[in-house]
Amino acid sequence: MKFQAKIEIISVNLYVIPPQKALEEIFKDSGKSKGPIQIKGKINSHKFIQTLVRYQNAWRLYINTPIIKATGVKVGDTADFSIEFDNVARTVPINPKLKLAFDKNKKAKEEFEKLIPSRQKEINRYLNNIKSEEVLEKNVDKVIRYLNGEKVDYFVILRN
């Protein structure tokens, strides 16, 4: 579905509100009209993958930093969009060190599985991008302690 939309901002996040006709097509193709919906498309001919989310009673397509840098769009601009449902799975594999830690700590694994999928993905993505074995082991330990109910600042887990 192709459309034009004005780039808006809420807090520090740039976004557009897709037209109802585009949303109805996405809902039909995805088989749902609730929760985050994976999409792919183009903004001013630049390809992207993103997620449609409902916030403050409106479906929004947020425009992240890589898209902003690639396209040069800014608040107030009108851009050309083309979007469609993306049925490609967007899973992030569990880090092998975290998997080993879960093998030794079933309670932490159960708590991890209770987290919302986006939080699980965020933790996995963070751990998978750590280059140093020492830092990885330190952060896996923090994740396990956090999941076991210890007072560990969540953001410390993700930043250290």
Side-chain angles (χ1 to χ4, degrees):
M1 169 58 78
K2 294 181 180 185
F3 62 93
Q4 286 190 325
K6 183 178 177 182
I7 310 296
E8 300 183 45
I9 190 167
I10 189 166
S11 182
V12 296
N13 301 301
L14 275 61
Y15 72 95
V16 297
I17 296 179
Q20 189 62 35
K21 186 174 179 181
L23 292 171
E24 288 170 6
E25 192 170 308
I26 297 289
F27 298 158
K28 179 180 161 231
D29 292 346
S30 68
K32 65 181 192 173
S33 60
K34 293 182 180 180
I37 302 174
Q38 298 178 169
I39 62 164
K40 61 183 176 181
K42 292 182 182 179
I43 176 173
N44 293 344
S45 300
H46 176 77
K47 290 182 180 180
F48 66 87
I49 59 170
Q50 194 56 285
T51 305
L52 279 176
V53 294
R54 190 167 174 89
Y55 179 70
Q56 292 184 344
N57 294 319
W59 282 94
R60 299 170 193 265
L61 169 56
Y62 286 95
I63 304 169
N64 61 23
T65 301
I67 296 171
I68 293 168
K69 287 181 179 180
T71 61
V73 297
K74 57 188 179 302
V75 177
D77 289 352
T78 297
D80 295 315
F81 289 85
S82 124
I83 62 172
E84 62 185 273
F85 172 63
D86 185 6
N87 64 355
V88 174
R90 295 185 190 168
T91 58
V92 176
I94 189 164
N95 183 280
K97 296 251 187 218
L98 183 59
K99 184 178 183 326
L100 284 173
F102 284 157
D103 290 344
K104 297 174 186 172
N105 192 314
K106 301 297 182 199
K107 179 182 182 231
K109 181 179 181 183
E110 288 171 8
E111 291 302 316
F112 182 80
E113 290 170 351
K114 290 178 188 175
L115 296 174
I116 60 172
S118 62
R119 187 65 41 95
Q120 292 178 18
K121 183 190 248 184
E122 181 181 10
I123 291 169
N124 284 325
R125 183 179 295 131
Y126 176 75
L127 293 175
N128 288 336
N129 285 314
I130 295 175
K131 304 294 184 229
S132 159
E133 283 297 311
E134 179 183 335
V135 173
L136 176 59
E137 288 176 15
K138 177 181 163 187
N139 279 275
V140 166
D141 179 63
K142 283 184 182 181
V143 169
I144 295 300
R145 289 187 294 128
Y146 172 76
L147 293 168
N148 281 321
E150 289 185 35
K151 291 203 176 218
V152 178
D153 184 11
Y154 177 73
F155 295 102
V156 172
I157 292 171
L158 298 181
R159 292 187 181 148
N160 284 345

